[in-house]
Amino acid sequence: MYRTRTCGELRIGDAGQEVTLCGWVQRLRKMGGMTFVDLRDRYGLTQLVFNDEYDAKLTAEANALGREYVIQAKGTVSERQSKNPNLPTGDIEIIVRELRVLNESLVPPFTIEDNTDGGDDLRMRYRYLDLRRSCVRKNLELRHKFAFEVRRYLDSKGFLEVETPVLVNSTPEGARDFVVPSRMNPGQFYALPQSPQTLKQLLMVSGFDRYFQIVKCFRDEDLRADRQPEFTQIDCEMSFVEQEDILQMFEGMARHLFKALLGIDIPTLPRMTWADAMKYYGSDKPDTRFQMRFVELMDTLRGTGTFQVFNEAAYIGGICCKGQAVYTRKQLDQLTDFVKRPQIGAKGLVYARVLEDGTLKSSVDKFYTPDVMARLKEAMQAEAGDLILILSGGDAMRTRKQLSELRLEMGQRMGLRPKDKFSCLWVVDFPMYEWSDEEQRLMAMHHPFTSPKPEDIPLLDTDPASVRANAYDMVINGVEVGGGSIRIHDAKLQEKTFEILGFTPEEAQRKFGFLMNAFKYGAPPHGGLAYGLDRFVSLFAQLDSIRDCIAFPKNNSGRDTMLDAPGQLDQGQLDELHLAVRQEDREVK
């Protein structure tokens, strides 16, 4: 064996033992006739000691070591005279009597330290080196434990883990598919699954009753901090259940994960309707670590003064920021610039301060009487020292979303969004459909197989836009970590929903005939949920991006800079796949 112990396990009780360690040279320090080498493996770090007085040749060999050399060291565990309380192994060191270089290393392009000097692009290019850093490794260790606890919990509840295909057919709705050409079927393509949705429903038809899978999914969409082209879902489905059964089951799983991995007991999750989430937070994934709920001010400010911006608005809403009346004009101008950014798109910001004597001082004072200002203060439940921020616009939904961004910004500035505090809830009763200006038709808000609320089924014939879906999302700290729905298991109801979505019977049969036909053979009532494993782990690890808990992620352009993927195919491969690439697309951008 190359080693008898690891670099993270030796303690003072091991003093006097003869050990063999292997690992990478973290750093080397020379002090007089002594050389100290910090040796690192995935388990930790141990100090090695070389002394000229005892073995000058061996010390000279140690002095020739470079950072990230792979070495083997044999020696005796000894108590350190100068202990390091910041290291688990800080009470001991190894008096080395034998050294072997297993492999030399070039000088790494950045320091392999928690506080590295490498930028994101450089670290992604040399990701195999970045993974040596303990802070990155800990994220992947947490991910491993997370997946292990998921399997432990679901196994205890009678779920079976079943693998589903990666090469499937392309389906409409949702994000863009990644497609794969078929050499054996010229001109035809597989798609990589956006989720195993239809396959897990077929497993319910097959009588599997309780299914799960920790599965790779693929979506060709614009990237952001919580999106990658390929990501991992904890995909689950159950038969003979209603919504309440699923919420109880997977709330139980969330509670198990928080307790097992973080030692946190989370309370029963509150439930909020989609309508209330949009009304009070402007988001279907509200961050409830802090309040600062929206107050609608249409009755208070529209038509009660001469400020035309408010008088012509379709929506006026405000938030009350406790104790923030101390904001200077410069800070308020910065907030105005924030909401005017193109990605938010507000035209301006109105503010009002509650002074120490209780009076309201506002940027729109001259347009309103003192009585209206007093009603504004009352509506906002504002007190002395509070700051009121108001947005308005001609589109109520868009303005609420703008106000949501402002609320989150103020929550961040006020220190109300700590990463080590968790606030979880269910958002329920989503709309079944949403209107697409681009497609000029109703689109499924979740997917075409989501069942409507039973009491809303009659509205499918008269007012489909008002139908609520039997759907639910779990939200933690403003992040949607999972979502699902009760599925349609009746073939006629499924045909009806396809009709509303604009599919002809022939199109529906071509795209989803396999599922609709399966429903004719006794499909049970069923429903499910999928958690985003990457998002869940990133929350537990208190990360800003899911990229930091994925071993080999893509960058913001969807590229793997380490593998230099995606790349071009040679002409022989293209010919085999019956593909032609335009010359301009061959040019390296």
Side-chain angles (χ1 to χ4, degrees), residues 452 457 460-461 488-500 515-517 519-520:
I457 290 177
L460 291 172
D461 292 314
I488 296 171
H489 67 279
D490 177 80
K492 291 183 178 179
L493 180 58
Q494 187 68 75
E495 289 171 1
K496 180 66 179 177
T497 61
F498 284 149
E499 179 186 333
I500 292 170
L515 184 63
M516 297 168 69
N517 292 336
F519 284 171
K520 297 174 183 178

Side-chain angles (χ1 to χ4, degrees), residues 422-463:
F422 298 95
S423 181
C424 314
L425 75 152
W426 289 109
V427 177
V428 298
D429 295 353
F430 284 80
M432 184 85 167
Y433 304 108
E434 56 186 344
W435 179 258
S436 169
D437 289 330
E438 183 180 344
E439 297 278 341
Q440 285 296 297
R441 65 180 179 91
L442 289 173
M443 305 277 284
M445 180 169 272
H446 282 73
H447 53 67
F449 316 107
T450 297
S451 174
K453 301 284 282 188
E455 59 270 30
D456 287 0
I457 290 177
L459 294 174
L460 291 172
D461 292 314
T462 59
D463 188 12

Side-chain angles (χ1 to χ4, degrees), residues 27-71:
R27 65 182 67 88
L28 184 145
R29 304 180 303 284
K30 301 175 185 178
M31 298 177 64
M34 300 185 71
T35 297
F36 299 91
V37 174
D38 290 340
L39 188 66
R40 181 196 71 241
D41 62 13
R42 65 168 263 215
Y43 304 96
L45 185 147
T46 295
Q47 178 172 280
L48 310 180
V49 181
F50 301 83
N51 195 328
D52 259 349
E53 201 174 305
Y54 300 128
D55 193 330
K57 181 182 178 183
L58 187 63
T59 304
E61 291 176 11
N63 290 338
L65 296 174
R67 278 181 176 262
E68 301 306 309
Y69 274 41
V70 185
I71 65 172

Side-chain angles (χ1 to χ4, degrees), residues 244-283:
E244 187 62 31
D245 300 306
I246 292 177
L247 298 189
Q248 291 292 336
M249 176 65 70
F250 294 104
E251 184 172 321
M253 187 167 90
R255 190 170 286 111
H256 171 80
L257 292 169
F258 270 98
K259 183 65 175 177
L261 298 172
L262 301 181
I264 295 175
D265 291 304
I266 60 171
T268 300
L269 269 61
R271 300 181 188 181
M272 183 184 300
T273 65
W274 176 88
D276 280 348
M278 299 306 297
K279 178 179 180 180
Y280 295 119
Y281 298 97
S283 170

Side-chain angles (χ1 to χ4, degrees), residues 100-335:
R100 179 184 173 194
V101 175
L102 301 176
N103 218 330
E104 296 181 353
S105 172
L106 297 175
V107 177
F110 54 87
T111 55
I112 312 299
E113 305 275 0
D114 284 0
N115 295 317
T116 182
D117 57 355
D120 284 351
D121 291 342
L122 186 63
R123 290 188 296 105
M124 289 305 101
R125 183 179 174 189
Y126 295 95
R127 182 62 167 174
Y128 47 86
L129 297 180
D130 193 40
L131 290 172
R132 293 181 186 176
R133 297 195 301 137
S134 62
C135 58
V136 181
R137 185 191 67 248
K138 287 175 182 176
N139 294 336
L140 295 183
E141 289 174 350
L142 174 61
R143 185 187 180 103
H144 158 75
K145 292 174 183 176
F146 192 99
F148 184 85
E149 292 299 335
V150 165
R151 287 188 166 95
R152 184 201 299 273
Y153 177 84
L154 292 174
D155 180 67
S156 74
K157 300 298 182 182
F159 283 77
L160 293 175
E161 185 169 10
V162 182
E163 290 184 309
T164 53
V166 174
L167 297 175
V168 296
N169 61 322
S170 182
T171 57
E173 308 289 315
R176 295 182 185 89
D177 288 324
F178 284 102
V179 296
V180 181
S182 171
R183 177 184 60 82
M184 293 183 289
N185 300 276
Q188 296 184 309
F189 297 82
Y190 300 105
L192 303 181
Q194 295 188 31
S195 79
Q197 181 59 51
T198 55
L199 294 161
K200 65 184 180 183
Q201 290 190 254
L202 289 174
L203 287 171
M204 295 303 102
V205 176
S206 302
F208 274 68
D209 188 66
R210 292 188 174 191
Y211 141 93
F212 87 97
Q213 183 181 189
I214 298 179
V215 59
K216 280 285 188 184
C217 300
F218 307 85
R219 292 178 187 172
D220 186 3
E221 56 189 351
D222 294 336
L223 305 185
R224 59 191 189 199
D226 62 353
R227 282 183 181 170
Q228 281 275 300
E230 52 181 304
F231 57 96
T232 305
Q233 280 188 354
I234 307 165
D235 199 53
C236 308
E237 198 80 1
M238 303 169 67
S239 291
F240 306 112
V241 290
E242 296 177 333
Q243 176 173 299
E244 187 62 31
D245 300 306
I246 292 177
L247 298 189
Q248 291 292 336
M249 176 65 70
F250 294 104
E251 184 172 321
M253 187 167 90
R255 190 170 286 111
H256 171 80
L257 292 169
F258 270 98
K259 183 65 175 177
L261 298 172
L262 301 181
I264 295 175
D265 291 304
I266 60 171
T268 300
L269 269 61
R271 300 181 188 181
M272 183 184 300
T273 65
W274 176 88
D276 280 348
M278 299 306 297
K279 178 179 180 180
Y280 295 119
Y281 298 97
S283 170
D284 57 6
K285 46 182 186 297
D287 187 343
T288 52
R289 281 174 290 184
F290 64 108
Q291 288 302 307
M292 210 183 292
R293 301 205 311 178
F294 297 179
V295 177
E296 188 171 307
L297 299 170
M298 293 290 285
D299 293 340
T300 306
L301 296 175
R302 183 178 179 184
T304 59
T306 58
F307 189 48
Q308 285 304 111
V309 172
F310 285 170
N311 291 340
E312 296 172 359
Y315 175 82
I316 308 170
I319 54 175
C320 183
C321 308
K322 292 295 180 182
Q324 302 303 302
V326 294
Y327 258 55
T328 65
R329 183 55 188 264
K330 181 179 179 180
Q331 288 174 307
L332 291 168
D333 287 344
Q334 290 173 346
L335 284 178

